Amino acid sequence: MSQKPQQANTSDVIQVRYDKLDALKEAGRDPFVVTTSDRDILTETIKNSFEEFENKDVCVAGRLLSKRGKGKVSFMDLYDRTGKIQIFAKFDDLGEEEYGFLKKWDIGDIVEVKGFVFKTQMGEISIHAKQVKLLSKSLKPLPEKYHGLKDTDLRYRQRYVDLIMNPEVKDTFVKRSKIISSIRRYLDAQDFMEVETPMLVSNAGGASARPFMTHFNALDEDLKLRISLELYLKRLIVGGLERVYEIGRVFRNEGVDTRHNPEFTLMELYQAYTDYNGMMDLTENLYRHVAQEVLGTTVITYNGVEMDLGKPFERITMLDAVKKYSGIDFNEINTDEEAKAIAKEKGIEFEDRHKKGDILNLFFEEYAEEHMIQPTFVMDHPVEISPLTKKKPDNPDYVERFEFFMNGWEMANAYSELNDPVDQRARFKAQEELLAQGDEEANTTDEDFLNALEIGMPPTGGIGFGIDRMCMLLTDSAAIRDVLLFPTMKSLPNEKG
């Protein structure tokens, strides 16, 4: 006999479903021995082309999400991945035995129905059942239809139930898939090559973040999960591939909030023989292409705020943005001490190790970032916060870098890539000094990457896109967890090994 799981507060309703499974097995109708279905059409196809399928036999399969009717007539709603269709079943058509089994179906069961397409007197496109089959038994009830699954924590933990009960959630992830496919189509048409690089690395460089650590038993060696895709993709530029991109997971051992998850999807691309200006053009064109292809418009609305991707994106230097929104002109600040003094005056917290460039960035984050609502390129960052970027020839305190902002969020980060191995070694050394001073997010020297630069890397533009934030904006989703199928959650007591 099938027994319900032994756990506190398990409803008797669940035991009833287990009892039904036992009865099915005893009747030789164990649904779990069924290996396939004869389904030959999706519900959306039927509804979109009713005239073509009217009075024709079809076979559909999906999850049963409602039942109504009484006596010898039943109506049910069957859902597949494209939507729902009504099933009309009669005792006279199915016979006493089959109709009896159908009447015992539960909400959540996965079923197959063969029959002909017709339209009811109420005008609803339906299938008149001639044969029915139970494909899989649902042993736990779904949330009540009209209240759905509202508990946010439970929705993230049980995304499979969330997808069943909340159609808008499924729509979000369908759009996410289309967004990533659209990105690939655009880049492939621009002659970029998609590649894959290691996730387990000995040196997790290419970004300022604390990595996750692990141990590889076979080699008895400590490794890290990658925090960026950058350094391996640049090696491929050295190797002559010229235009490469990767869309993949990266891992950063940091906090969780509405815009941060410790594992997230990053896209990085690198193009030889261009610079950060070329990356701005690519970013602008890519965002327009994706919005138009996926949403059918270049004007998007997020949380009630309209943003226009069709207009030329604003371009402003970090110096000018800070001056515009804080009134402080860092061109008039000549030393680290002067920068720290103005930071103290304005109540900006900093660390002793910080230099003028670091403090400029802190001012940007405090005063300017929230104003970057419309698509904006913030350019020419201080060298102190850009260890992998080419200096500006006319002002070596700053680099050829931009961050792309929308809705006050950083959406992408791009450089004219540093290809001078002597300068790069000096930058790595400065990062090592920061690490020694307690900066857990500082880079460490990557000798093999330096070796690649010594072989010779052409002038190159590179960029990293946060795919999850892009999906948030294009689907009007409030939190990053809403666009991650399985976001990182603290384990429940019964989930810990």
Side-chain angles (χ1 to χ4, degrees):
M1 181 176 181
S2 300
Q3 294 294 319
K4 67 182 180 183
Q6 295 300 310
Q7 59 189 50
N9 300 320
T10 300
S11 169
D12 289 340
V13 172
I14 297 176
Q15 186 60 60
V16 169
R17 294 195 177 206
Y18 274 81
D19 292 342
K20 287 182 178 180
L21 177 62
D22 286 335
L24 287 166
K25 289 179 177 179
E26 290 172 8
R29 290 173 173 263
D30 184 351
F32 297 119
V33 304
V34 178
T35 59
T36 189
S37 167
D38 294 328
R39 182 170 76 175
D40 56 18
I41 197 167
L42 295 169
T43 60
E44 184 179 60
T45 304
I46 297 171
K47 298 177 90 169
N48 288 344
S49 305
F50 171 71
E51 292 78 10
E52 178 183 347
F53 292 102
E54 186 175 13
N55 295 320
K56 291 186 178 179
D57 286 340
V58 295
C59 178
V60 295
R63 191 179 295 274
L64 199 66
L65 288 187
S66 73
K67 288 176 63 181
R68 53 205 176 276
K70 59 183 179 179
K72 296 185 177 182
V73 176
S74 295
F75 292 89
M76 297 165 284
D77 287 332
L78 179 148
Y79 285 70
D80 62 19
R81 71 174 184 267
T82 63
K84 74 168 182 173
I85 197 162
Q86 179 173 264
I87 306 299
F88 172 68
K90 291 177 63 178
F91 175 94
D92 294 343
D93 296 315
L94 297 178
E96 181 177 358
E97 184 178 21
E98 291 300 322
Y99 193 78
F101 280 112
L102 177 144
K103 290 287 285 183
K104 293 180 180 179
W105 285 357
D106 289 307
I107 302 301
D109 286 352
I110 297 173
V111 304
E112 175 187 274
V113 176
K114 294 180 179 179
F116 63 87
V117 178
F118 78 110
K119 190 177 286 187
T120 66
Q121 291 181 347
M122 299 296 292
E124 183 166 359
I125 296 171
S126 306
I127 296 174
H128 189 130
K130 295 163 67 175
Q131 296 180 47
V132 296
K133 182 191 295 185
L134 182 62
L135 301 177
S136 182
K137 184 70 186 161
S138 174
L139 297 174
K140 283 191 173 181
L142 293 167
E144 195 272 329
K145 177 181 176 182
Y146 294 102
H147 295 94
L149 185 64
K150 301 302 183 185
D151 183 284
T152 302
D153 186 79
L154 189 60
R155 284 181 51 226
Y156 295 147
R157 292 183 186 278
Q158 296 185 12
R159 183 68 85 186
Y160 42 92
V161 180
D162 191 24
L163 289 166
I164 294 168
M165 299 306 300
N166 297 315
E168 69 278 5
V169 172
K170 185 178 74 171
D171 291 343
T172 292
F173 288 104
V174 169
K175 280 183 181 174
R176 179 188 172 104
S177 178
K178 290 179 178 178
I179 288 166
I180 294 172
S181 296
S182 182
I183 291 170
R184 285 192 165 103
R185 277 192 294 275
Y186 179 82
L187 292 177
D188 292 347
Q190 301 299 314
D191 203 27
F192 279 85
M193 173 181 175
E194 185 173 9
V195 298
E196 295 174 313
T197 61
M199 290 190 182
L200 287 172
V201 295
S202 57
N203 189 330
S208 296
R210 186 168 64 177
F212 286 94
M213 307 291 294
T214 188
H215 186 77
F216 185 18
N217 291 331
L219 296 182
D220 192 23
E221 183 177 346
D222 288 334
L223 294 173
K224 304 177 182 73
L225 291 174
R226 66 185 181 187
I227 60 173
S228 170
L229 313 173
E230 180 166 346
L231 300 186
Y232 280 99
L233 292 177
K234 285 183 179 177
R235 286 168 167 90
L236 299 181
I237 295 292
V238 171
L241 295 186
E242 293 193 359
R243 296 189 180 202
V244 293
Y245 76 95
E246 180 173 7
I247 299 174
R249 286 283 177 140
V250 296
F251 309 86
R252 298 183 182 180
N253 199 349
E254 55 192 22
V256 176
D257 60 28
T258 57
R259 284 184 283 157
H260 294 87
N261 195 71
E263 57 172 312
F264 61 96
T265 302
L266 183 65
M267 181 187 76
E268 291 195 32
L269 65 86
Y270 293 84
Q271 178 180 341
Y273 309 111
T274 190
D275 63 3
Y276 76 146
N277 292 298
M279 293 296 101
M280 285 188 234
D281 294 339
L282 184 148
T283 302
E284 201 162 333
N285 292 331
L286 174 61
Y287 260 77
R288 285 197 192 109
H289 165 85
V290 172
Q292 187 66 53
E293 189 169 88
V294 176
L295 304 179
T297 179
T298 57
V299 178
I300 67 170
T301 301
Y302 183 82
N303 195 26
V305 177
E306 190 174 279
M307 288 165 272
D308 192 348
L309 293 162
K311 295 179 180 178
F313 294 4
E314 182 181 354
R315 302 187 183 196
I316 188 171
T317 66
M318 182 176 281
L319 281 166
D320 287 343
V322 169
K323 183 178 179 179
K324 179 177 180 179
Y325 294 106
S326 75
I328 305 300
D329 186 353
F330 270 74
N331 277 322
E332 297 178 356
I333 296 173
N334 299 311
T335 66
D336 297 339
E337 289 69 27
E338 290 177 14
K340 290 178 179 179
I342 196 69
K344 288 180 181 178
E345 180 184 321
K346 296 294 184 180
I348 302 293
E349 294 185 6
F350 60 89
E351 299 177 26
D352 289 342
R353 62 181 175 81
H354 281 156
K355 298 182 179 180
K356 172 186 169 182
D358 298 295
I359 293 172
L360 170 63
N361 186 53
L362 292 174
F363 267 77
F364 174 79
E365 291 174 351
E366 178 68 24
Y367 287 101
E369 191 170 278
E370 65 181 349
H371 298 285
M372 306 292 130
I373 303 300
Q374 295 301 317
T376 304
F377 296 119
V378 177
M379 308 180 298
D380 301 348
H381 293 50
V383 68
E384 291 90 342
I385 62 168
S386 310
L388 298 166
T389 316
K390 273 193 173 184
K391 295 175 183 176
K392 293 182 69 64
D394 58 345
N395 192 350
D397 289 339
Y398 297 90
V399 297
E400 294 189 348
R401 173 184 174 186
F402 73 80
E403 290 174 291
F404 173 50
F405 283 86
M406 287 180 67
N407 194 51
W409 303 348
E410 178 202 337
M411 304 298 294
N413 186 21
Y415 314 149
S416 295
E417 301 297 335
L418 179 60
N419 61 345
D420 178 347
V422 176
D423 190 358
Q424 183 64 80
R425 183 174 289 279
R427 306 261 197 111
F428 275 143
K429 183 179 179 181
Q431 289 284 302
E432 294 276 8
E433 290 171 357
L434 292 175
L435 190 66
Q437 293 170 26
D439 184 355
E440 295 180 330
E441 296 185 349
N443 283 214
T444 55
T445 302
D446 188 325
E447 289 293 346
D448 183 70
F449 176 65
L450 288 170
N451 183 67
L453 291 186
E454 288 172 339
I455 296 295
M457 186 173 86
T460 297
I463 189 166
F465 288 88
I467 296 295
D468 305 310
R469 289 186 188 177
M470 185 181 194
C471 291
M472 286 176 66
L473 279 185
L474 296 183
T475 61
D476 198 8
S477 296
I480 192 170
R481 289 179 172 184
D482 295 326
V483 297
L484 299 174
L485 279 167
F486 300 102
T488 302
M489 305 287 289
K490 185 176 178 61
S491 298
L492 297 172
N494 63 345
E495 294 174 335
K496 295 178 180 179

